[in-house]
Amino acid sequence: MEAADYEVLSVREQLFHERVRECIISTLLFATLYILCHIALTRFKKPTEFTTVDDEDATVNKIVLELCTFTLAVALGAVLLLPFSIISNEVLLSLPRNYYIQWLNGSLIHGLWNLVFLFSNLSLIFLMPFAYFFTESEGFAGSRKGVLGRVYETVVMLMLLTLLVLGIVWVASAIVDNNKASRESLYDFWEYYLPYLYSCISFLGVLLLLVCTPLGLARMFSVTGKLLVKPRLLEDLEEQLYCSAFEEAALTRRICNPTSCWLPLDMELVHRQVLALQTQRVLLEKRRKASAWQRNLGYPLAMLFLLVLTGTSLGQVSFSKLGSFGAVIQVVLIFYLMVSSVVGFYSSPLFRGLWPRWHDTAMTQIIGNCVCLLVLSSALPVFSRTLGLTRFDLLGDFGRFNWLGNFYIVFLYNAAFAGLTTLCLVKTFTAAVRAELIRAFGLDRLPLPVSGFPRASRKTQHQ
């Protein structure tokens, strides 16, 4: 072999080894996320759904749980996608010739973006509808009972749903862009149809983030206030402990003497109330034993930190001039917005019923949570880019969203986000002041208007 052949062979071997290395790293990262999500879901699932007498239902629930675990792992990967890319970019810029970080290259980052895009499409369009139909299926009438019969019914339902969604997207494309070339491009399923459908889902996710994130930003202050110990000027722990102990003693007396009350008592309800009061008293005791530094310094610093993060997320600040420190601020802001959006999502009245309960969450509810979290997390890169939190270009098929280049859409979105966030924050901060004013003027002691009594007629008034 000549020298040129050896050079070509060495280049091919190098590309092969790089490809194998990227596959191994991607597999290890996804396996880690999958294990973490599986541990989390097993803490919320109903144990009775997996230990039923009917082995068929238990098998179906196990399969659906694995599909939900895969979807939740993809959602977590979508959340970590932009922070990982920003940190990797800063590491490569700081240490361009370091041998030990050569595996952290642009090809790996591009591959991760493409994998997350592919798995998000797969989960939203195929796996989660299949999981829901599989849970609700019973098999066709007259067919043999078993898991295979339920699979046949689920596949038929999924095909009908795919045809329905394909028709809706084709009609929407014809209405929005009445161009023959654009309609014919939808016939290419993998190259045009799936990215177009995913861009529609991502746009809905960005709109959902527009509503949920301001609610979450305002809710974060009250959640942090419940977790931390407030200064003595803002709350009286001694009074709360005294009231809790007094209520617990009264309920315990009712349990010991049930005949002393002339009303029938629900003893199970009274026992639950006593347990809740005991738990509340233990928490209050822990908060009372907190140090003076934790009480007088921790709460103000946490509130100040939340105010700074919220104000920074509302302003158009260029972090690229700050170097590595700016990259860290971008990552913190992205995680803060994601946590705030999840808090706002579960705090909204429309989605409050989806809140998962410890060892008491139904399988359909787990499916709904996984779908909603995947929609929110997959829209997070587009959301961060639209708000101007990062200048990092969206890689892979995420950068194909044409509406990101429309100035009017981006401007109106930022204005709506700033307005909604300001409104929610003003309402949250003034709620306590309004409550104190109402209590100071004695308006809380005014009798409420009694409804249900018919007004007197004019004839009766004249009499």
Side-chain angles (χ1 to χ4, degrees):
M1 297 179 64
E2 298 181 357
D5 295 333
Y6 280 110
E7 290 180 1
V8 172
L9 183 61
S10 62
V11 170
R12 289 180 179 178
E13 289 179 353
Q14 185 179 359
L15 292 176
F16 174 76
H17 291 308
E18 288 180 357
R19 185 61 178 172
V20 172
R21 183 179 58 195
E22 292 173 8
C23 293
I24 293 174
I25 293 173
S26 302
T27 305
L28 290 176
L29 289 176
F30 186 77
T32 305
L33 296 178
Y34 189 90
I35 293 172
L36 293 176
C37 294
H38 188 271
I39 294 173
L41 287 181
T42 52
R43 297 295 183 271
F44 290 101
K45 68 177 184 179
K46 277 186 179 180
T48 55
E49 292 185 348
F50 295 84
T51 57
T52 57
V53 179
D54 191 359
D55 294 335
E56 180 183 336
D57 290 338
T59 304
V60 168
N61 289 330
K62 290 177 182 178
I63 296 173
V64 171
L65 182 65
E66 297 302 323
L67 296 178
C68 292
T69 305
F70 180 86
T71 303
L72 192 59
V74 174
L76 187 56
V79 173
L80 299 175
L81 196 58
L82 192 57
F84 180 76
S85 302
I86 294 173
I87 294 175
S88 302
N89 187 45
E90 289 298 321
V91 171
L92 291 175
L93 290 176
S94 302
L95 304 171
R97 299 183 180 275
N98 195 323
Y99 174 77
Y100 295 100
I101 61 170
Q102 292 302 315
W103 59 273
L104 196 63
N105 50 24
S107 178
L108 174 64
I109 297 174
H110 274 271
L112 291 176
W113 280 77
N114 291 328
L115 284 177
V116 169
F117 185 84
L118 175 63
F119 289 159
S120 299
N121 277 296
L122 184 65
S123 300
L124 286 175
I125 301 173
F126 296 106
L127 295 185
M128 286 297 96
F130 179 86
Y132 178 75
F133 291 138
F134 195 38
T135 306
E136 300 295 327
S137 64
E138 296 180 356
F140 290 113
S143 62
R144 294 180 59 184
K145 297 296 182 182
V147 178
L148 195 59
R150 299 176 72 165
V151 170
Y152 290 154
E153 181 185 354
T154 305
V155 170
V156 171
M157 292 295 296
L158 189 60
M159 291 176 62
L160 293 176
L161 179 64
T162 303
L163 291 175
L164 178 63
V165 174
L166 178 62
I168 292 175
V169 172
W170 198 87
V171 171
S173 175
I175 294 174
V176 174
D177 190 6
N178 192 10
N179 189 2
K180 184 178 180 181
S182 64
R183 291 196 302 269
E184 289 180 352
S185 64
L186 287 177
Y187 296 137
D188 195 343
F189 190 79
W190 292 103
E191 188 67 23
Y192 292 97
Y193 173 71
L194 284 182
Y196 183 80
L197 181 60
Y198 187 78
S199 65
C200 297
I201 297 174
S202 180
F203 185 72
L204 293 177
V206 171
L207 293 180
L208 188 61
L209 285 173
L210 178 62
V211 178
C212 295
T213 307
L215 292 176
L217 290 173
R219 181 69 176 164
M220 287 291 288
F221 290 92
S222 58
V223 171
T224 307
K226 291 179 181 178
L227 296 176
L228 298 178
V229 181
K230 297 180 182 179
R232 295 187 184 274
L233 296 175
L234 299 179
E235 65 175 354
D236 191 355
L237 288 177
E238 299 294 337
E239 182 182 356
Q240 294 181 20
L241 277 170
Y242 176 76
C243 294
S244 179
F246 182 77
E247 292 179 4
E248 183 182 349
L251 291 176
T252 306
R253 197 179 303 114
R254 286 187 181 183
I255 294 175
C256 296
N257 261 333
T259 57
S260 61
C261 184
W262 57 277
L263 291 175
L265 293 177
D266 188 355
M267 300 305 295
E268 185 179 354
L269 177 62
V270 174
H271 279 289
R272 287 202 301 266
Q273 290 177 351
V274 171
L275 291 176
L277 288 172
Q278 289 176 353
T279 305
Q280 181 183 2
R281 182 168 52 82
V282 170
L283 293 176
L284 290 174
E285 289 285 350
K286 290 182 179 179
R287 297 178 67 181
R288 187 177 64 172
K289 294 177 182 178
S291 62
W293 289 97
Q294 184 180 357
R295 183 184 302 110
N296 299 321
L297 192 61
Y299 181 80
L301 286 179
M303 292 294 112
L304 181 61
F305 182 68
L306 290 179
L307 278 174
V308 171
L309 286 179
T310 306
T312 308
S313 62
L314 290 176
Q316 295 286 338
V317 183
S318 178
F319 298 104
S320 58
K321 300 178 181 179
L322 301 178
S324 301
F325 181 69
V328 173
I329 295 177
Q330 291 179 25
V331 172
V332 171
L333 281 176
I334 291 170
F335 282 124
Y336 176 63
L337 287 179
M338 186 60 200
V339 173
S340 301
S341 64
V342 173
V343 171
F345 176 79
Y346 287 113
S347 300
S348 61
L350 186 60
F351 302 104
R352 194 173 296 167
L354 284 176
W355 177 258
R357 295 178 297 274
W358 195 262
H359 291 300
D360 193 26
T361 308
M363 208 66 233
T364 53
Q365 192 174 353
I366 292 177
I367 295 172
N369 278 278
C370 291
V371 170
C372 294
L373 291 177
L374 181 57
V375 170
L376 291 176
S377 59
S378 60
L380 182 63
V382 184
F383 178 70
S384 303
R385 191 72 174 85
T386 305
L387 292 182
L389 297 179
T390 178
R391 301 291 182 183
F392 192 87
D393 292 332
L394 303 183
L395 303 178
D397 290 324
F398 283 92
R400 297 175 59 177
F401 300 149
N402 296 327
W403 53 271
L404 282 175
N406 193 318
F407 171 77
Y408 296 102
I409 293 178
V410 174
F411 175 76
L412 290 175
Y413 190 90
N414 280 269
F417 179 78
L420 289 174
T421 304
T422 306
L423 181 63
C424 292
L425 290 176
V426 169
K427 184 179 179 180
T428 300
F429 288 134
T430 57
V433 178
R434 284 187 276 111
E436 291 297 331
L437 290 176
I438 290 173
R439 192 178 298 109
F441 286 106
L443 298 178
D444 57 332
R445 295 188 294 271
L446 293 177
L448 296 174
V450 180
S451 60
F453 292 97
R455 294 183 178 180
S457 60
R458 291 185 178 181
K459 182 178 180 180
T460 309
Q461 290 176 357
H462 287 301
Q463 289 179 356

